[in-house]
Structure formats: structure tokens, C-alpha cells
Amino acid sequence: MTVARDFDQLTVVDHPLIRHKLTLMRKVDTTPADFRRLLREISSLLTVEATRNVPLDEVHVETPLCKTAGWRMQEPVPVVVPVLRAGLGMADGVLDVMSEADIGHIGVYRDEETVRPIEYLVRLPSRLSDRTVVVVDPMLATGYSGAHAVTVLLDNGARPENIVFMALVAAPEGVKVLTDMHPKVRVVTASLDSHLNEKSYIVPGLGDAGDRIFGTL
Ligand code: URA
């Protein structure tokens, strides 16, 4: 089945640096150390787009020369939520450019037969209803675990319009499942790939992101 590739809520950040780094990540012989570094770097670059609507307060500061107006992120600060375990490979890249963020964790693995998510951990900061929430998971494949993670956030008070799902690579099938279920959630990715194969891997993709991050191949 061919899935449409136009999604209102999807932003593909195809900056030259991201395209260059993602191509290195796709290569089968890239080492886990390089894979982790590149994932962290791309995550920082994607964060710039993912946080574009973070609310600011106007503040005044004194430079060495004079007083001037400026901006500060509103409290409570945004939250980054890696979906374990592969999402951990993106969280530090987000924090590199948004060190003020708090961190939540959602642990989900996929049942290899049904490819449905099984949840094993949820630990989230308070006041989610007032925060931007950046969910990070490198591969938006079937969309089932991503949609499940968003449901967990909504159940814990997050507002759908304040949630951004940040994936390194997305399949059209996964974007459709996620945005059909959660139409107000934004999806930010470095690449909308071709399709899923019969084992629900993204093609061309980069293989199992968790295994490549942690060297568990
Ligand atoms: N998870 C991965 O790590 N890779 C895929 O291609 C699909 C799901």
C-alpha cells in the first residue's frame, strides 16, 4: 500500500549539514561511536526547528554598554522526553542547545510479532499542561510506539498543540498513524524515507537505531 507523503503537521529539516550527517549515519560501516556523535549533532540541529514556538517573556538586561530588552524562555521550561531506549541517543543533543530543559522518560519496546508497543516505564516532570514537550525517538516507523508515547503524555496533562515529536527518520506509514491519532502534534524529522519493509523497518533507513547507538548488533 502506498501512503500519501503530504502531511500538514510534518516538517522535514533538510539543511545541508543534516543531509551530510544523516548520509554518514545510514552507511552500514559507520561505527557506534560515530553514529552516536552524528545522532547527537543532528538532534541539536533539529531542536532549533522543534522549539520554534517555545513561549518567551520579555526581560531587560544590562550589557557592558547599556540597558537593553531581550528574551527568556517562560517557566516552566520545556521538557525533553526520550522514548527508551533509542531516544536516549537524541536527548543529549537536545540538551546541548537547551540545557534548561527538564527530562522525562517513557520506556516502550515493540513486540516483534505484533509490532505493538509494550510500556515498561513512565517518569515525567510535573506541570506538563504548561510546557512544550519534545518527544525524541530516532525512528518513526509504524508510529505505534510514538502514538503510544504521545497518549501517555496527554494522559499526564500535556496539551497536544504543545507536543513536538522529533524523529531522525520517519516513514510515511508512521507519520500517518501518529498524526491520524494525534492531529495537533507536530512532527519534525531529518528525512521522510520511502516506506516500511515487511519487518517494519524503514527503507532506506539505517537499520536498528538502538543497536547502532549502543553497539548491541
Ligand atoms: N526501529 C529501528 O530502529 N529501525 C527501523 O527501521 C524501524 C524501527
Side-chain angles (χ1 to χ4, degrees), residues 110 139 141 200-202 205-210:
R110 73 171 173 180
M139 309 304 276
S200 297
Y201 277 84
I202 299 177
L206 41 75
D208 188 302

Side-chain angles (χ1 to χ4, degrees), residues 13-214:
V13 186
D14 59 352
H15 187 284
L17 285 179
I18 292 183
R19 288 157 84 167
H20 170 81
K21 292 173 192 293
L22 177 58
T23 304
L24 293 172
M25 292 187 75
R26 290 189 193 277
K27 285 173 64 177
V28 67
D29 54 357
T30 295
T31 63
D34 284 338
F35 192 91
R36 281 193 291 271
R37 174 182 53 78
L38 291 160
L39 180 58
R40 182 171 177 154
E41 290 170 357
I42 294 179
S43 301
S44 294
L45 295 167
L46 290 177
T47 302
V48 176
E49 174 59 32
T51 55
R52 92 163 33 253
N53 298 323
V54 164
L56 300 174
D57 285 326
E58 191 168 4
V59 293
H60 291 87
V61 294
E62 205 160 332
T63 77
L65 302 181
C66 66
K67 283 195 170 169
T68 187
W71 304 97
R72 179 179 60 201
M73 280 196 295
Q74 265 178 24
E75 302 268 343
V77 292
V79 184
V80 53
V81 180
V83 180
L84 305 184
R85 69 180 167 147
L88 289 174
M90 298 180 77
D92 282 338
V94 177
L95 294 169
D96 284 343
V97 290
M98 190 169 60
S99 54
E100 299 86 348
D102 289 325
I103 307 166
H105 292 93
I106 297 179
V108 177
Y109 67 91
R110 73 171 173 180
D111 182 305
E112 287 304 333
E113 262 170 35
T114 63
V115 297
R116 298 283 164 170
I118 301 185
E119 177 187 306
Y120 63 90
L121 176 94
V122 177
R123 194 93 174 96
L124 297 167
S126 60
R127 296 181 62 190
L128 283 190
S129 58
D130 303 328
R131 296 174 184 253
T132 299
V133 183
V134 181
V135 188
V136 290
D137 193 351
M139 309 304 276
L140 179 53
T142 61
Y144 298 143
S145 53
H148 181 82
V150 171
T151 301
V152 169
L153 292 167
L154 297 176
D155 290 347
N156 281 272
R159 292 198 221 156
E161 61 275 22
N162 294 343
I163 298 175
V164 184
F165 194 96
M166 204 170 97
L168 176 70
V169 176
E173 294 89 333
V175 181
K176 180 165 170 33
V177 165
L178 179 60
T179 56
D180 278 357
M181 197 158 159
H182 301 294
K184 291 189 178 164
V185 169
R186 279 184 71 210
V187 179
V188 172
T189 187
S191 175
L192 182 63
D193 272 14
S194 170
H195 63 278
L196 293 182
N197 72 8
E198 62 295 343
K199 291 190 169 160
S200 297
Y201 277 84
I202 299 177
V203 181
L206 41 75
D208 188 302
D211 283 343
R212 297 200 61 185
I213 293 166
F214 297 109

